[in-house]
Amino acid sequence: WRQRQLEYTWLRALMDRYEDFWSVTQASLDFTLKTLGLEAKPDLLTRIAAAYDALTLYPEALTALQGLAPTRLAIFSNGSPAMLTNLTRQAGIDGLLETVISVDEIRTYKPDPRGYRLVEDRLGLTRDEILFVSSNPC
């Protein structure tokens, strides 16, 4: 599901056919279930996808983020603003972040360079002053 989700964002960015991340999340889940030979009714798809809106932090994440103070912290994500607001609030990290930056603002997906320029502009920093830490394995 996650791999397909990333692939869908890359393809949409290359084709310049933006859809918000929630739509991509649902489409990739639907594809994954069909590929596995599973059939899900729309309400089940919605409930499964909603779990993506309630991800929990890794056990050490909160302590690590707190330990980084007074470093400026931000999230730069493909996630839609509503998804990111929900996730940061329920995880209890919203108060630790200076800002949350979504590619939704520029209607494309990472790794489009415009997204990284958006981060530079929003934070008022150059690329040499920013460290990106990814949750993706590749």
Side-chain angles (χ1 to χ4, degrees):
W1 177 17
R2 175 66 174 150
Q3 182 63 36
R4 183 58 52 167
Q5 184 187 49
L6 290 171
E7 290 168 359
Y8 279 0
T9 64
W10 300 330
L11 290 170
R12 282 172 172 74
L14 285 170
M15 295 184 300
D16 198 25
R17 299 180 84 183
Y18 183 79
E19 290 182 48
D20 72 32
F21 196 63
W22 184 246
S23 298
V24 171
T25 298
Q26 290 179 308
S28 60
L29 174 59
D30 185 48
F31 174 86
T32 300
L33 291 173
K34 286 178 180 171
T35 299
L36 295 171
L38 302 172
E39 192 171 324
K41 294 182 179 173
D43 64 317
L44 179 60
L45 282 174
T46 301
R47 286 198 330 255
I48 294 171
Y52 203 88
D53 236 0
L55 298 173
T56 57
L57 293 174
Y58 288 106
E60 70 280 5
L62 183 58
T63 302
L65 290 171
Q66 290 169 333
L68 287 170
T71 303
R72 296 171 69 189
L73 301 175
I75 289 177
F76 172 49
S77 177
N78 281 337
S80 65
M83 290 174 74
L84 295 170
T85 297
N86 291 339
L87 283 169
T88 57
R89 279 189 189 146
Q90 72 90 24
I93 62 168
D94 52 331
L96 300 173
L97 304 170
E98 178 178 325
T99 190
V100 176
I101 304 165
S102 170
V103 297
D104 191 71
E105 191 173 322
I106 56 171
R107 302 187 56 78
T108 191
Y109 287 105
K110 295 186 280 180
D112 188 305
R114 291 176 292 170
Y116 297 93
R117 280 194 299 275
L118 176 65
V119 174
E120 292 176 60
D121 293 345
R122 182 74 61 79
L123 296 177
L125 298 171
T126 66
R127 66 173 34 173
D128 294 336
E129 299 172 298
I130 300 170
L131 171 67
F132 288 97
V133 179
S134 178
S135 63
N136 295 317
C138 49

